[in-house]
Amino acid sequence: MLRRTLTRTLSVVITWASLTAVAPAPEPVPPVHVDAKDLEQAVLDAARAFLHGDAPGMRAAFDRVEKDCRRLGPDDEPARAHKMIDLDASLHAGLDRARESASRGDLDAAFESMRWVMRSCRACHELRDTPR
């Protein structure tokens, strides 16, 4: 009798524990912009450097953009839309060209690449803000 009571009690405790167990919280999705405020300032600094003919300053600003905007990849699915990952790849390809052009002192080419970077930013932000 005691054994049957213990067995039932244990069964009830195990059932209760399994019903009230909390599933582990999903891991938070890391932000795309590591430091959004510095990222925005870096874009403005790149434009200012262009206006002043400062290729090293422009390159330094592009380096900050790279630092502050992490590269997305397949591990970001499904947390990020596939189109966002494509736009991110486009942004970083343009940024690589801009950095390379600024390093060579070709400010016009760096600025043209910067325009593509900014277009990628805008397109990704529009996608983010579009209701699904």
Side-chain angles (χ1 to χ4, degrees):
M1 173 101 161
L2 180 61
R3 185 175 182 172
R4 192 164 54 190
T5 302
L6 286 173
T7 303
R8 283 185 187 162
T9 302
L10 186 57
S11 176
V12 168
V13 169
I14 290 172
T15 302
W16 176 81
S18 67
L19 293 174
T20 60
V22 178
E27 290 189 34
V29 177
V32 174
H33 305 309
V34 178
D35 184 344
K37 201 168 203 154
D38 185 57
L39 173 61
E40 184 176 302
Q41 187 60 54
V43 171
L44 295 173
D45 291 347
R48 187 176 297 110
F50 172 76
L51 291 173
H52 293 282
D54 178 9
M58 198 173 192
R59 170 59 197 249
F62 289 144
D63 288 342
R64 286 178 33 227
V65 171
E66 177 67 31
K67 170 188 70 72
D68 291 332
C69 191
R70 77 177 180 86
R71 291 178 185 245
L72 301 180
D75 292 342
D76 287 286
E77 285 285 355
R80 307 275 183 220
H82 184 70
K83 180 82 171 150
M84 287 176 90
I85 292 173
D86 290 345
L87 287 167
D88 181 70
S90 171
L91 176 146
H92 285 284
L95 186 54
D96 289 344
R97 284 191 302 277
R99 293 166 72 200
E100 181 180 308
S101 296
S103 291
R104 288 192 321 266
D106 188 346
L107 293 173
D108 291 328
F111 189 77
E112 284 303 310
S113 294
M114 180 178 158
R115 289 179 57 226
W116 284 104
V117 167
M118 293 174 73
R119 285 180 180 170
S120 297
C121 292
R122 287 183 49 216
C124 192
H125 291 189
E126 287 171 5
L127 182 65
R128 177 203 62 201
D129 296 338
T130 303
R132 294 178 200 206

